[in-house]
Amino acid sequence: GQEQFYALHLLVLSRLAVYAVCFDMTRLCSTADPEDKRKCLLFLRFWMQSVWASTSTVEEGGDGGAPIVLVGTHKDKMPSLEEHEEISALLFEEFRDSPAFASVQQYSDQDASADKRLSLWFFPVDNVQGLKDRVVRAAMVQIQECVEQGEYVKCKVAFTWLAVLDAL
């Protein structure tokens, strides 16, 4: 996220990847400072557009850019499902017209307490619990599924090329 490296994005961002864009959910909650909320949304827009601009295949007849997984951190400070739904609605409202938003992966889960299906535009994770948090594991599964669906995974690579990559 350091500005001096922004010019290198075209060199390092590849359509042969899945991108996790992380943000602090406390900066987008209903009680967040409006200026801080604005800056957080600008940060998210910048990264989503950077990924899309560097990975888009639309000009080549493709369907968009590399998959993007939005990860909301600090669920330990914001466990409210209602707040998560409000943040998801804010993300949808803010970014739905952006071409990059078509690449955003949704988080879906069965909410046992309300006996309903939950669907969010981000993965709300508890940094403190780490892998004990089922949403962290769900995000990892989503990333793995995106990788496995990528055409680049099915490409054959000459064994000698792997030796060149190891040497790099």
Side-chain angles (χ1 to χ4, degrees):
Q2 297 172 344
E3 288 185 32
Q4 58 266 35
F5 295 110
Y6 288 176
L8 298 175
H9 285 173
L10 288 173
L11 298 175
V12 296
L13 296 179
S14 165
R15 72 180 71 167
L16 308 179
V18 178
Y19 293 91
V21 178
C22 301
F23 65 95
D24 181 344
M25 287 191 294
T26 64
R27 296 181 65 197
L28 293 181
C29 69
S30 58
T31 58
D33 173 66
E35 180 59 19
D36 197 35
K37 187 181 284 191
R38 185 188 71 76
K39 287 179 181 178
C40 185
L41 290 170
L42 281 173
F43 171 83
L44 288 171
R45 180 177 302 282
F46 169 79
W47 279 106
M48 288 194 312
Q49 288 180 340
S50 292
V51 168
W52 191 85
S54 299
T55 67
S56 173
T57 60
V58 172
E59 288 182 5
E60 299 153 15
D63 59 355
I68 298 171
V69 177
L70 296 177
V71 178
T73 62
H74 296 85
K75 186 169 71 176
D76 56 308
K77 296 177 183 172
M78 276 191 80
S80 165
L81 179 59
E82 291 78 22
E83 195 74 59
H84 298 166
E85 289 174 329
E86 286 181 29
I87 292 170
S88 182
L90 172 66
L91 293 172
F92 179 77
E93 190 62 35
E94 186 73 22
F95 301 120
R96 69 179 173 192
D97 294 329
S98 168
F101 198 65
S103 298
V104 173
Q105 306 299 299
Q106 282 190 281
Y107 167 62
S108 295
D109 191 21
Q110 184 71 32
D111 180 10
S113 62
D115 197 30
K116 68 174 186 174
R117 190 99 181 126
L118 173 69
S119 184
L120 301 173
W121 288 104
F122 71 102
F123 289 73
V125 302
D126 184 337
N127 317 41
V128 176
Q129 286 189 22
L131 290 176
K132 293 178 185 173
D133 179 15
R134 64 190 175 102
V135 183
V136 168
R137 293 190 310 272
M140 292 170 67
V141 166
Q142 181 64 46
I143 290 169
Q144 183 174 345
E145 287 175 1
C146 288
V147 168
E148 289 171 355
Q149 291 172 7
E151 289 300 316
Y152 49 87
V153 175
K154 300 169 187 127
C155 294
K156 293 183 180 189
V157 177
F159 188 70
T160 53
W161 179 243
L162 295 176
V164 170
L165 289 176
D166 286 340
L168 293 175

